[in-house]
């Protein structure tokens, strides 16, 4: 049974998303039903909770107070469930994981299949989000743990462990550069390139390298979608620049080759396992975290065929994001 009334569930969704329409899509509830509950709640409390603006809904001062209290009630309820579960020693429960689209392939589906076989009482609910939305999902209590790419500093977030994926050239296996161990970024000047575009974060890293090296890239085609870049490279349009994580499955299947870029100023793509610093973790969540941490520790061999140049690190505590 839900701990919250229908009104509070709807209110929190509208407050977080800023509109009844978005809350309706998120909750799969008719917008008219959500609006009716909000109006009834405002009538009972005797004060408006939202300002109705042309661009959406904005919390009033009373609404801000109710939203802050509602989040605290939600977290307190989750803590209580965790304490009861641990007291009873249950090996079951639900774990919510927020993750980027890049992890819908590769090691995570395999890990979850193995987890289901070894611990059938644990169910996992996955929230595939844009990377910039994952932190919010974790901090708002909608996820028990998160897998974040290049996490930014946030006081509420603790990085448990991480693995770094190199950036490099991706090309067809029969391309002349395919057998190289590493290449300098300046190689871009000699090759037809398939380039990433904004909002892909990789675009900004490439722009920094262009400025630092003075290299002018000859782009034959560009795209703002990782899958499209890989498809164009496989069609022989040119050579792309991606992280190893972006192309890991195609590399394993022999459809693409990967050559790391050796420029020292080029930062790798960091995949971090994160939790909310203030949240008490359930036994089920701790078990899933332990499995992911073990996978991260094995990553140089298991995520990169033949070894690769991935690096991993246990960073709990001193490497928290402050």
């Amino acid at each position: 049974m839900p701990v919250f009334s229908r009104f509070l569930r709807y209110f929190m969704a509208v407050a977080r998303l800023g509109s009844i329409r978005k809350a309706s899509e998120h909750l799969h509830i008719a917008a008219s039903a959500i609006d009716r509950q909000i109006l009834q709640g405002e009538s009972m409390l005797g004060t408006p909770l939202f300002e109705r603006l042309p661009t959406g809904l904005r919390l009033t001062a009373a609404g801000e107070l109710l939203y802050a209290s509602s989040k605290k009630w939600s977290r307190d309820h989750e803590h209580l469930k965790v304490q009861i579960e641990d007291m009873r020693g249950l090996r079951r429960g639900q774990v919510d994981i927020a993750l980027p689209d890049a992890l819908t392939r590769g090691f995570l589906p395999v890990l979850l299949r193995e987890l289901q076989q070894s611990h059938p009482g644990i169910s996992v609910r996955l929230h595939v989000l844009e990377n910039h939305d994952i932190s919010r999902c974790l901090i708002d209590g909608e996820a028990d743990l998160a897998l974040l790419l290049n996490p930014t500093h946030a006081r509420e977030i603790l990085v448990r462990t991480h693995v770094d994926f190199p950036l490099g050239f991706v090309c067809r296996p029969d391309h002349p550069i395919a057998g190289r161990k590493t290449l300098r970024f300046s190689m871009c000047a000699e090759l037809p390139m398939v380039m990433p575009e904004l909002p892909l974060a990789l675009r900004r890293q490439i722009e920094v390298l262009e400025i630092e090296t003075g290299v002018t890239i000859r782009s034959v085609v560009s795209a703002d979608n990782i899958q499209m870049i890989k498809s164009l490279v496989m069609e022989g349009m040119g050579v792309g620049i991606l992280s190893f994580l972006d192309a890991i499955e195609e590399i394993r299947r022999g459809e693409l080759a990967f050559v790391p870029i050796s420029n020292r100023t080029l930062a790798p793509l960091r995949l971090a396992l994160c939790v909310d610093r203030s949240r008490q973790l359930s036994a089920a969540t701790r078990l899933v975290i332990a499995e992911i941490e073990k996978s991260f520790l094995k990553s140089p061999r298991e995520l990169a065929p033949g070894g690769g140049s991935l690096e991993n690190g246990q960073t709990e505590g001193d490497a928290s994001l402050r």
Side-chain angles (χ1 to χ4, degrees), residues 16-17 22 26 67 97-101 126-152 154 157 199 274:
R16 187 175 69 252
L17 298 171
K22 291 180 180 178
H26 177 73
Y67 185 54
I97 304 175
L99 66 150
D101 181 73
L126 302 174
H127 305 269
V128 181
L129 304 168
E130 295 293 331
N131 197 59
H132 57 79
D133 291 327
I134 292 175
S135 296
R136 177 203 56 77
C137 183
L138 181 64
I139 294 169
D140 285 353
E142 297 173 21
D144 300 299
L145 61 102
L147 291 162
L148 264 169
L149 297 172
N150 290 337
T152 55
I157 292 178
C274 304

Side-chain angles (χ1 to χ4, degrees), residues 75-140:
R75 291 189 180 192
D76 288 347
H77 176 253
E78 289 300 319
H79 290 169
L80 176 61
K81 289 200 300 182
V82 167
Q83 291 168 354
I84 291 173
E85 178 184 313
D86 287 348
M87 182 176 64
R88 296 171 62 188
L90 298 180
R91 301 288 283 181
R92 65 175 184 267
Q94 177 176 291
V95 180
D96 286 71
I97 304 175
L99 66 150
D101 181 73
L103 296 184
T104 57
R105 303 165 299 278
F107 83 96
L108 188 60
V110 175
L111 183 150
L112 294 177
R113 173 179 55 78
E114 294 173 348
L115 181 71
Q116 194 278 327
Q117 292 172 347
S118 59
H119 298 84
I122 295 177
S123 64
V124 177
R125 186 162 57 182
L126 302 174
H127 305 269
V128 181
L129 304 168
E130 295 293 331
N131 197 59
H132 57 79
D133 291 327
I134 292 175
S135 296
R136 177 203 56 77
C137 183
L138 181 64
I139 294 169
D140 285 353

